[in-house]
Each structure stands twice: as C-alpha cells, then as structure tokens.
Amino acid sequence: MVSTAAIAQTSFRPKALLLPVSKDAATLQYVTHINQRTPLVPVKLTVHLGGETLWVDCEKGFASSSFKPARCGSAQCSLATADACSGENVCGQSVDNPIISTATHGDIGQDVLSLQSTDGSNPGRVVRVPNFIFTCGATLLVRGLASGVTGMAGLGRSKIALPTQLAAAFSFKRKFAICLSSSTSSDENGVIIFGDGPYVIRPDIDVSKSLTYTPLFINPVSTASAFSLGDKSFEYFIGVKSVNVNGKAIPLNTTLLSIDSKGIGGTKISTVVPYTVLETSIYNAVVSAFVNAMPTVTRVSPVAPFSACFDSRDILTTRVGYAVPGIDLVLQSQSVKFSVTGANSMVRVSDNVLCLGFVDGGVNPRTSIVVGGYQLENNLLQFDLAASRLGFSPSLILEYRTVCSNFNFTSN
C-alpha cells in the first residue's frame, strides 16, 4: 500500500519494532525517543495515539545530510494527502499539537529513521528506514510539550503515521501495541511495539494471548485542531454502549455515546489527555454512583482538576490497588467491557487525599468520553488497523501481578 516509504535497506527482516515510552512527571505526557537524520540524533517526542504524522521542529537546530523535501505532486505528497504547495515546490499539510489545541502549516519531507527490532520478548538489532515521511513543525508548536521534546509521534489511522509506514517498510502486519507505565522513574519505561505479538512481559507472560477484542470506528469528521472539510478523524474510537459503576449500569443519555453526522459524540482513546474526560451529565452520573457505593468513605474538598476527592484513610489499599467500586465501559455486549479498577481510577494528590481520576469535560464536548492515559496504564492495547479492531488485556496488575515496565529492554 505504501510503496514510496522506501523499503528499509536491510536483508534482516524484523517481525516487530520497539520504542520505550516514559511518563513525564511534570506534564503527565508519554514520551519516546526515535533516532532520526544523518548523522543520527535521538529525537524526544510526545506520543500522540491519534496523531496523523511524525512531526518535529525543523526551525531550531535541525541538521541532516539525508533530509529530502517532498516535491509537489510526488507520491510522498499524495500519500500524506498534502493540502498545499509552497513557492519552493515543497508540499505541506497542517501540523497539530492537541495539547495546546494549535495547528500550523508544515512542509513534508523524508529522512532516515532508526529503531530497535524485537521478537516480542527481547530487543534485537537496530534497523533503519532510509526515507521515512514526516512533517516539519514550527518551533511555536513545541509549546506545552514536555521538557526537551521537539515534536510528536503520531500513531493514528493515516498512511504516514508510524504504524502504517513501518508496516510497509518491513512488510509486517498493520498492528501495534502500547503498554504505558504508571511510573515516572526513568528506568521504568512502558513500550510501543509495531507489529504482531507475542508481547511478552516478565515473568514470561505473553499478553497477546489474553486480549479481548472490540471494533474500532472511524469518526467521519476530523477531531484535529485544524482540518479541511471532508477530512476524517485519525483517532481511535470505540463503541461504548453503557457505563457500569460497581457492576450496575448508570443512567445516561445514550445518544451521547454515538458519533453523529457532524462527528460529535462517541468515545475515543487518547494518550495526550492525562485523565479520562467525560461529558458533564455522564461525569455527574459516574461520580454520584461511585460516591453512593462508598457510604463509609469521607468526601473531602476537591483538588483540581478532580471534583470527587476522599479521605484516603477510609480506603483500603490492597496489593492490586485501592479497594473502590469498579467502573466499566461496556462495549458491544455486557460480557465485553473495559474495566477500570482502583489502580487506574484513584489518584493520590496528597498524604490523606485520593481523588477519582476522571475529569468533567463540560456540556458540549466534541467527544463525549475521552479515555485518558492514566486509565490505560498497565493495560496492553493492540490496535489492528487492517481489521479495524482493538484488543485489550485485563489489568496486568490485577491479572498477572506485573506492570508494563516489566518488558525486557536490555538482555537478549
């Protein structure tokens, strides 16, 4: 499908590729490093699950002898669905930083990209893609990103996002998995694996064997900061049908759960939103049911951005997180649900205060439920672009007493 993302120059054919992902304590962004350019330099990028492209700041300190601008009318420009052509005959497109809701125009180019391969258990040799298509962002777009970050790694449903270009370059399946670590410690990284399983996490658990599947939906209207009429969204939407708290369905306006013809509503998964954001009426129903299910727990003053906070001395801590009511996003049937337990629902904001880690998204948000990073941590999610489905593991803490940072990054 992507003939122009020149096939990687190597006789070694990796089955999958690996990126370590750290959590930045100050911004709560998920950050990775990719080696790019000639000579290769490590580029620090914020992971944007629904992003259209890999973009980097090319205005400040960008130097590479292998960089090639994409000429207007070229195959690269059509692959990137470029929407403009500059006076220098270079095509471009809009470059988005969703964290500050800002987009600018950026030129499209190609350069060397280098990543580590993996067999799903151990890291393998480093491989190169000689002509990886990416977009040049402006320095002003780096605002709001974690310290040292100079761009974003887009993993969305576009032909030039990392998953599709890498699958084309090495002829593997258009699938990738993310497993985000809850730790902000530099030696406890989560992982992104491009390609199929196995996805093995110590102590020798192949998480790909325990995935539950649900369809992915395409929102017909873009959800980026700026877009052209007719653009589809590159983000990943799932079909939440109802929400359970403590095993019981809560009352909610179910029309909010569908995507309408203007692209409003539905549920998406995001790595650029730190905590799950719910439309106001859904948020109020979740909080009310959650509080009512814990009659003996003292509620305390809210701590922004949260409104439901509790005295932590009233909440039992277990080996698998805080003992609080479970919150389930019920998918295509009652038996298929994405479950959020105490380890992913409660945020410790001070010694004696725990808050429910969900945020009120207001009355008319573009998307009714945005599942944020905190609720994804220590769960493995596999995005299968060819089959348009999401596979998700149970909580690794709950099911296997392990965490995403237990992927083996070192020994072979």
Side-chain angles (χ1 to χ4, degrees):
M1 186 178 110
V2 187
S3 55
T4 51
I7 298 301
Q9 293 165 335
T10 169
S11 55
F12 167 68
R13 272 290 150 94
K15 289 195 173 66
L17 304 168
L18 179 69
L19 281 179
V21 181
S22 60
K23 184 178 184 179
D24 178 67
T27 59
L28 306 180
Q29 289 166 25
Y30 300 94
V31 172
T32 190
H33 287 84
I34 298 184
N35 290 317
Q36 192 202 31
R37 309 169 201 173
T38 304
L40 286 170
V41 290
V43 183
K44 201 169 167 187
L45 303 162
T46 290
V47 175
H48 180 8
L49 179 65
E52 177 181 8
T53 176
L54 165 66
W55 69 261
V56 300
D57 173 5
C58 297
E59 290 180 349
K60 204 166 151 197
F62 184 97
S64 175
S65 62
S66 49
F67 174 77
K68 295 195 277 291
R71 297 296 168 201
C72 299
S74 66
Q76 290 84 352
C77 298
S78 66
L79 204 61
T81 58
D83 52 17
C85 183
S86 72
E88 286 89 51
N89 194 33
V90 176
C91 67
Q93 64 184 164
S94 109
V95 188
D96 186 17
N97 176 347
I99 288 158
I100 54 168
S101 303
T102 303
T104 63
H105 175 82
D107 287 347
I108 295 163
Q110 289 179 298
D111 212 334
V112 173
L113 200 70
S114 154
L115 294 94
Q116 193 155 34
S117 65
T118 178
D119 60 3
S121 302
N122 300 297
R125 351 194 330 199
V126 170
V127 294
R128 292 158 76 91
V129 184
N131 293 312
F132 192 90
I133 302 168
F134 73 105
T135 314
C136 279
T139 304
L140 68 88
L141 267 194
V142 175
R143 228 164 20 100
L145 299 183
S147 173
V149 166
T150 56
M152 299 189 91
L155 307 178
R157 303 180 80 144
S158 92
K159 290 178 182 171
I160 58 163
L162 283 149
T164 296
Q165 277 203 75
L166 293 174
F170 296 103
S171 309
F172 56 63
K173 290 194 169 128
R174 284 199 307 138
K175 291 180 182 181
F176 70 97
I178 64 168
C179 201
L180 301 175
S181 170
S182 55
S183 170
T184 53
S185 161
S186 61
D187 57 353
E188 294 185 7
N189 288 330
V191 65
I192 299 170
I193 296 176
F194 298 100
D196 210 346
Y199 307 127
V200 179
I201 291 180
R202 291 184 294 228
D204 204 28
I205 296 149
D206 179 3
V207 184
S208 69
K209 292 190 163 56
S210 64
L211 301 180
T212 301
Y213 295 96
T214 193
L216 286 168
F217 295 95
I218 293 176
N219 186 329
V221 182
S222 174
T223 44
S225 305
F227 58 93
S228 306
L229 206 61
D231 287 356
K232 292 192 191 78
S233 175
F234 296 114
E235 300 203 74
Y236 296 97
F237 282 77
I238 53 173
V240 173
K241 296 284 194 289
S242 60
V243 179
N244 292 349
V245 175
N246 211 21
K248 298 186 194 73
I250 59 168
L252 45 85
N253 173 0
T254 51
T255 55
L256 293 167
L257 301 178
S258 304
I259 302 168
D260 71 12
S261 59
K262 298 192 180 95
I264 292 169
T267 301
K268 72 178 183 185
I269 302 171
S270 173
T271 56
V272 292
V273 170
Y275 303 102
T276 294
V277 182
L278 305 172
E279 180 276 340
T280 294
S281 68
I282 302 174
Y283 179 79
N284 290 338
V286 166
V287 168
S288 160
F290 191 84
V291 169
N292 290 340
M294 297 197 298
T296 59
V297 175
T298 311
R299 195 158 168 190
V300 298
S301 303
V303 179
F306 312 115
S307 73
C309 298
F310 307 91
D311 186 328
S312 63
R313 290 167 297 192
D314 296 342
I315 295 174
L316 195 66
T317 307
T318 72
R319 276 193 310 180
V320 292
Y322 301 107
V324 294
I327 299 170
D328 301 321
L329 301 180
V330 182
L331 297 155
Q332 65 267 37
S333 72
Q334 280 296 328
S335 61
V336 182
K337 40 189 190 275
F338 182 81
S339 297
V340 180
T341 55
N344 292 80
S345 66
M346 302 308 285
V347 180
R348 183 170 284 281
V349 294
S350 66
D351 281 352
N352 294 331
V353 179
L354 281 171
C355 296
L356 178 63
F358 287 69
V359 176
D360 184 343
V363 287
N364 289 308
R366 209 185 219 165
T367 304
S368 303
I369 300 177
V370 181
V371 182
Y374 193 82
Q375 279 66 43
L376 304 173
E377 288 170 357
N378 298 314
N379 290 262
L380 183 133
L381 283 76
Q382 182 198 57
F383 297 83
D384 183 337
L385 283 88
S388 197
R389 71 173 186 171
L390 169 72
F392 57 94
S393 73
S395 157
L396 300 183
I397 295 173
L398 212 58
E399 193 74 12
Y400 303 115
R401 306 278 198 274
T402 188
V403 287
C404 287
S405 58
N406 276 335
F407 187 84
N408 182 11
F409 287 103
T410 46
S411 65
N412 285 318

